[in-house]
Amino acid sequence: MYEWLDTLPASVVISDSVVRLLLSTAILMVVTLVLRALVSRLIRQKVNSVELRRKWLVNSRNGFLLLMLLGLVMIWGEELRTLALSIVAIAVAFVVATKELILCVIGSIIKTGSRSFNLGDRIQVKDFRGDVIDQSLLTTTILEVGPGKHVHQRSGRVVVIPNALFVSEPVINESFTHEYDFHVFTVPFKRRDDWRAAQAAFLESANRHCAPYLEAVRQYMTRIGRNRGLETPSVNPRVTIQTPVSDEIHLVIRFPTKAGQRGYMEQTILTEVFANNDFLAAHPEPATEASAPTETSLS
């Protein structure tokens, strides 16, 4: 009669342990329901107050439900533990497999929450520098500017940056002030060159080119500083000196400029100053005289 059971695959046959667990679960549920029914009948017969009877019925129902849940946990505890370990293993494997995607989503949340940049801003992350033209949950797209961090011309290439970089790398926003920017560039000279005249020439050229909008820049920076609680920086062009090596002097030119005109202003000032001046040393360093060889007389 039961010969067909022998033909079932092993995966279909229920093990004895599972049968015992199911039987224990059924007994628990039957006993709990019977006890609840008996207690409810007793409460209805013995308690005359409507409010008290309703309160006891609700409490008894919740108590038997909790008792049944505790019984199920005790019966299926080992299987639940095995299931929990399996779920943890699956979760770990999922996290490892999708780590980069998760980092990209976290990076998107970080850049959105910190408001580090917006569309149109010029940013630099690691070696990637350019103007932001698109943002998504996983990537940020920029139009590359360069090469290097001192060039302000677009290379014509599009760079797609994974947002995971924003988790571990700092973001440099070159468009923090949108209407006007500060621009800095360096010009090296030898110590024997007439760097003092170059310093005066660069300062005069920067002042003349910035004069039409210098007052507007001052008002704009004052407003930015007041809104953000920052000290208002000086907006006047300046030329400072650096001595990175012993025989060189570097002139660092800083001036305000309209947004998007940093490269244009730099080239204008450089072209004007070097086209009208020659800062080479007036008196070149004298060459060292080699000592004449002496003749040794042979006796």
Side-chain angles (χ1 to χ4, degrees):
M1 180 177 179
Y2 300 100
E3 294 179 356
W4 62 274
L5 289 175
D6 298 334
T7 62
L8 291 176
S11 60
V12 179
V13 179
I14 302 177
S15 63
D16 294 340
S17 61
V18 175
V19 172
R20 286 195 298 269
L21 292 174
L22 291 175
L23 183 60
S24 301
T25 302
I27 294 173
L28 174 66
M29 295 179 66
V30 170
V31 170
T32 303
L33 291 175
V34 171
L35 290 177
R36 178 189 171 188
L38 293 175
V39 171
S40 299
R41 177 179 296 182
L42 183 63
I43 292 173
R44 291 188 179 95
Q45 292 176 354
K46 300 298 182 180
V47 180
N48 297 324
S49 174
V50 177
E51 294 293 333
L52 187 60
R53 184 166 61 245
R54 183 170 61 249
K55 179 179 179 181
W56 282 22
L57 287 173
V58 171
N59 290 338
S60 64
R61 182 191 63 192
N62 294 335
F64 280 112
L65 179 61
L66 179 61
L67 180 64
M68 187 170 63
L69 291 177
L70 291 176
L72 290 175
V73 170
M74 294 178 63
I75 294 173
W76 294 91
E78 187 64 29
E79 281 67 22
L80 291 175
R81 190 180 301 110
T82 303
L83 178 62
L85 292 176
S86 301
I87 293 175
V88 170
I90 293 173
V92 171
F94 177 79
V95 170
V96 171
T98 61
K99 180 181 67 174
E100 293 299 327
L101 292 178
I102 294 175
L103 287 177
C104 287
V105 174
I106 295 175
S108 178
I109 295 173
I110 290 175
K111 73 173 183 177
T112 303
S114 62
R115 294 181 295 179
S116 53
F117 58 86
N118 297 309
L119 287 175
D121 289 353
R122 181 164 296 179
I123 65 170
Q124 179 177 345
V125 183
K126 292 190 70 174
D127 297 329
F128 307 109
R129 178 170 173 261
D131 299 328
V132 180
I133 60 173
D134 189 21
Q135 300 184 74
S136 66
L137 186 63
L138 301 179
T139 61
T140 298
T141 305
I142 64 173
L143 282 176
E144 188 183 44
V145 173
K149 63 180 180 179
H150 300 296
V151 180
H152 301 277
Q153 297 180 355
R154 291 176 177 173
S155 65
R157 300 190 301 181
V158 173
V159 181
V160 180
I161 303 174
N163 290 340
L165 287 181
F166 300 127
V167 177
S168 58
E169 297 294 335
V171 180
I172 300 174
N173 189 343
E174 300 181 15
S175 304
F176 175 72
T177 54
H178 295 282
E179 296 183 18
Y180 297 96
D181 297 325
F182 285 109
H183 181 55
V184 180
F185 65 94
T186 303
V187 181
F189 288 92
K190 295 292 184 181
R191 279 185 178 272
R192 61 179 179 269
D193 295 334
D194 192 1
W195 57 266
R196 294 179 180 85
Q199 183 181 19
F202 278 113
L203 184 59
E204 188 276 332
S205 178
N207 278 318
R208 181 156 40 81
H209 286 91
C210 296
Y213 55 83
L214 194 60
E215 187 59 32
V217 176
R218 185 175 288 109
Q219 295 176 2
Y220 179 75
M221 292 300 174
T222 301
R223 185 168 67 252
I224 291 292
R226 183 170 57 251
N227 293 338
R228 297 183 177 269
L230 303 174
E231 183 179 356
T232 303
S234 173
V235 300
N236 295 322
R238 60 177 59 178
V239 181
T240 55
I241 300 173
Q242 291 182 348
T243 55
V245 292
S246 59
D247 61 340
E248 290 186 3
I249 288 181
H250 290 187
L251 300 182
V252 182
I253 299 93
R254 193 211 73 165
F255 58 90
T257 178
K258 295 180 180 179
Q261 294 188 0
R262 283 175 292 183
Y264 169 76
M265 289 291 292
E266 176 183 335
Q267 292 301 312
T268 300
I269 294 174
L270 286 172
T271 301
E272 178 182 283
V273 170
F274 284 114
N276 300 326
N277 299 275
D278 183 5
F279 302 112
L280 295 178
H283 302 287
E285 293 181 350
T288 57
E289 296 181 359
S291 57
T294 56
E295 295 182 357
T296 303
S297 58
L298 298 176
S299 55

